[in-house]
Each structure stands twice: as structure tokens, then as C-alpha cells.
Amino acid sequence: MAPEVGGAICSNGIVVMTPGSSSRTAVNAEKETDVEKIVEDLKSKLDSIEDKPRAALIAGGAVLAVTVANGVVSTIDNLPALPGLMKLIGTSYSLWFAYRNLLFEDNRKELSEDLDNIWKKITG
């Protein structure tokens, strides 16, 4: 097989790096620039927030809500009969939703219009 950047592939598929070679490839460098771009974008968005304490309070509330929801779901999952019942309810609802909204063309169009209306309300 052809040697990798800074190393060679052995017969068993393991890449052997030569001393002093860098393990950074073009893909890793590209990901790093994407990460840097995302961090810069995030910093500019955070700087544009005028009411930072309120934003921090909302973010903290969101983290707290997710933590509490995780605890509730974990507790329900540990009860003996409830996980099976929840799976049955979830499967039944999924089948009903597919029958009601996805099976027939008219219903699919109605669902698509409803989703478009919701999207317009969210995005403005």
C-alpha cells in the first residue's frame, strides 16, 4: 500500500509514524479551520448580545431543564413495567402518525403546509 503522510501502513493495516513526523493530515487541518471559523462566529454572536445576564439566565435554565428531564426519563426507565408500556405507546403513536399524515397524498400535503407555516412563524 502507499505510504501515508509521515508514515507507512504495515501489512496488518497499522500506520507506523516515522520519528518527528506530524500526524496532522489535510483533513485534520481543514477541520481545525472549520472549528476556528465556528469559534470566531460564536464570539461575534456573543459580543452582539446586549443583555448578557438575561442570556446567561436563559442558557442556565435550558441546561437545568434538560438535566431535570433526563432525571425524569431515567427514573421512568428504571421502573419495572413502565419502559415496556412507554415503548408500546411510542410505537402506537408512530404508527398512528404515519397512517394519519404520511400514507395518503392529501395528508402529506396538509402536513407539509402545516410544517411550512410553523417554519415561517419561527423564522419570521
Side-chain angles (χ1 to χ4, degrees), residues 65-109:
V66 168
T67 304
V68 169
N70 183 32
V72 169
V73 170
S74 296
T75 302
I76 289 173
D77 194 39
N78 288 330
L79 296 174
L82 259 0
L85 179 64
M86 292 297 180
K87 288 178 187 176
L88 179 65
I89 291 171
T91 303
S92 300
Y93 180 77
S94 297
L95 291 172
W96 174 82
F97 182 85
Y99 173 76
R100 164 70 179 89
N101 295 310
L102 304 175
L103 196 59
F104 303 108
E105 183 178 359
D106 294 338
N107 294 343
R108 284 193 302 267
K109 287 181 182 177

Side-chain angles (χ1 to χ4, degrees), residues 18-41:
T18 57
S21 66
S22 172
S23 63
R24 172 179 265 167
T25 62
V27 174
N28 287 342
E30 184 177 308
K31 284 183 182 179
E32 185 174 311
T33 58
D34 289 342
V35 170
E36 289 173 359
K37 186 188 297 183
I38 291 170
V39 169
E40 288 174 10
D41 187 41

